[in-house]
Amino acid sequence: GVKLKMQDLIFTEKTKNTYIVRFFHNKPWHYGRKFLEQYFTYFSPQFLLFQSWEKLRYFTPEQGIFYFTLAFFFYLGLAKLIISKKDFEKSFLLFLLLFAPFPAGLTVVESPNPHRAFFMIVPTSIIVSLGVQQILSLKNKILKNLLLSVSTLFLIFEFIYFRHQYSVHFDYFSAFYRNDGQKEASYLLQDLQKKYDKVYISSAKAMSWYYLFYSKNFDKNLIGRFGLDAKIKNVGNIYFVEPNCPSQMKILPERKPTDKIVIIDRPECESNLKDYKLVKTFTGKNFLLKYKVLVPKTRNKTKATNIIAH
């Protein structure tokens, strides 16, 4: 987005003097600012303590990559390192700490991303240990034992809290981004294909691959039939259609008036309940993301086989 933002600023300049425009709006300046913006996010409290992932499919709710207890020891160790007289050790550790997120700062997609700053683990672990050492070296035993006891109890609480957030809430918050419900849809498709002539479902989110995997269909004759994004026209009487909401299609493909059909709309769909009857809903981990199973309504007995799907 840097190039587009730079062009916007250039086009809205009041002067026509190109030298002035280039002085304020040039690639080194704007790309340099973007790099620094990305780079410093890896040292921000928001990233370290509160929410470390930009992409919701990875992050644990209300959790950074640091516990608050470890952050306390880290900043204590960092202060010790800075005032240390051991110049080589100080320079080496600070260099590692500052250089580790450098590659991550060069990227913008799904940023900040702990995977790209993985090597920050080495210097931060050493600096945290320096902070612990500072507590252990206190001569006042009462203060030392008090700090160690409080830190230990708080660290245990933070660990339990993290496990709770991960085991209870992670699936719910990441459900949409992890194609939640498609496993359940795959099992339901296996049942519906036996009861109906045609089954229609959206091809979005590699739905065909989910179906083939969970139905254990590894037919080699399917080779070469797939297009981009795992798109395939049909597998038997199951049709994977392009729109997310098959109920909104005016005419369903490959359909005869006499066919007994059923369709599945994705959770984000505003299903067409004028022409379809809702017979079932199902969800994955997130009970708010409901898939809808619909069949055409019978308008009257004489037109029962002449329903147009809208």
Side-chain angles (χ1 to χ4, degrees):
V2 175
K3 185 177 180 180
L4 291 175
K5 291 178 182 178
M6 189 167 61
Q7 287 178 345
D8 288 341
L9 291 169
I10 290 172
F11 290 142
T12 54
E13 280 286 348
K14 295 181 179 180
T15 179
K16 294 183 179 180
N17 189 316
T18 57
Y19 293 103
I20 295 177
V21 173
R22 287 179 180 176
F23 177 78
F24 287 106
H25 310 299
N26 54 76
K27 290 181 179 179
W29 173 248
H30 283 282
Y31 278 101
R33 282 174 57 90
K34 190 62 178 178
F35 164 75
L36 292 175
E37 176 189 341
Q38 297 297 326
Y39 176 81
F40 283 114
T41 58
Y42 292 90
F43 296 100
S44 69
Q46 176 69 13
F47 171 74
L48 294 174
L49 299 173
F50 299 104
Q51 185 171 319
S52 56
W53 290 95
E54 180 67 21
K55 271 294 183 183
L56 294 180
R57 66 171 175 263
Y58 294 126
F59 93 118
T60 301
E62 304 298 320
Q63 186 68 53
I65 59 173
F66 253 24
Y67 291 146
F68 282 89
T69 310
L70 296 182
F72 168 73
F73 287 124
F74 173 79
Y75 289 114
L76 189 64
L78 187 63
K80 171 64 177 177
L81 182 65
I82 292 173
I83 63 175
S84 172
K85 295 181 180 180
K86 298 178 180 179
D87 294 333
F88 175 76
E89 292 180 7
K90 179 199 301 186
S91 301
F92 182 64
L93 274 177
L94 289 176
F95 169 76
L96 287 179
L97 180 65
L98 295 173
F99 183 76
F102 189 90
L106 296 172
T107 63
V108 292
V109 178
E110 299 184 9
S111 181
N113 190 313
H115 286 166
R116 299 173 193 152
F118 177 78
F119 288 106
M120 287 182 73
I121 291 175
V122 176
T124 52
S125 298
I126 297 173
I127 294 172
V128 165
S129 68
L130 288 176
V132 175
Q133 185 183 43
Q134 286 297 102
I135 301 297
L136 294 174
S137 62
L138 288 174
K139 295 181 180 180
N140 188 324
K141 291 185 178 180
I142 297 177
L143 179 60
K144 177 174 72 174
N145 292 333
L146 177 63
L147 288 174
L148 288 175
S149 299
V150 172
S151 299
T152 301
L153 289 174
F154 203 72
L155 185 61
I156 292 172
F157 168 76
E158 288 193 282
F159 175 76
I160 294 173
Y161 177 79
F162 169 77
R163 291 297 305 171
H164 173 80
Q165 294 297 101
Y166 183 80
S167 60
V168 176
H169 299 287
F170 174 78
D171 286 341
Y172 176 84
F173 278 86
S174 65
F176 181 79
Y177 298 92
R178 289 188 174 275
N179 301 341
D180 186 45
Q182 296 200 178
K183 175 181 178 181
E184 291 73 12
S186 300
Y187 287 127
L188 181 61
L189 285 173
Q190 296 175 53
D191 183 53
L192 293 176
Q193 69 173 344
K194 300 173 185 177
K195 299 178 180 179
Y196 293 87
D197 298 318
K198 301 284 174 66
V199 183
Y200 295 92
I201 190 170
S202 173
S203 61
K205 310 292 184 181
M207 186 63 233
S208 58
W209 285 3
Y210 279 82
Y211 166 70
L212 292 171
F213 178 80
Y214 286 110
S215 64
K216 296 183 172 63
N217 184 346
F218 305 110
D219 187 356
K220 63 182 180 181
N221 292 321
L222 295 172
I223 296 173
R225 290 180 56 193
F226 286 92
L228 293 175
D229 298 326
K231 300 291 178 64
I232 189 171
K233 184 178 178 181
N234 69 290
V235 177
N237 64 337
I238 298 177
Y239 289 80
F240 300 94
V241 294
E242 191 70 27
N244 284 359
C245 311
S247 70
Q248 296 296 331
M249 297 180 67
K250 292 185 177 180
I251 299 177
L252 292 171
E254 306 293 335
R255 183 197 170 190
K256 299 176 183 178
T258 56
D259 286 337
K260 185 181 179 183
I261 73 165
V262 63
I263 70 171
I264 299 177
D265 271 354
R266 290 181 57 81
E268 62 268 25
C269 296
E270 293 185 8
S271 299
N272 176 12
L273 298 180
K274 176 182 177 182
D275 299 295
Y276 288 92
K277 177 184 177 181
L278 179 65
V279 296
K280 181 183 178 66
T281 62
F282 64 92
T283 67
K285 296 288 186 181
N286 189 336
F287 60 87
L288 295 177
L289 299 177
K290 293 183 179 180
Y291 285 76
K292 295 171 278 291
V293 182
L294 307 126
V295 296
K297 289 181 178 178
T298 301
R299 301 189 186 281
N300 54 55
K301 293 182 179 179
T302 59
K303 296 183 179 181
T305 59
N306 191 30
I307 301 169
I308 298 177
H310 292 280

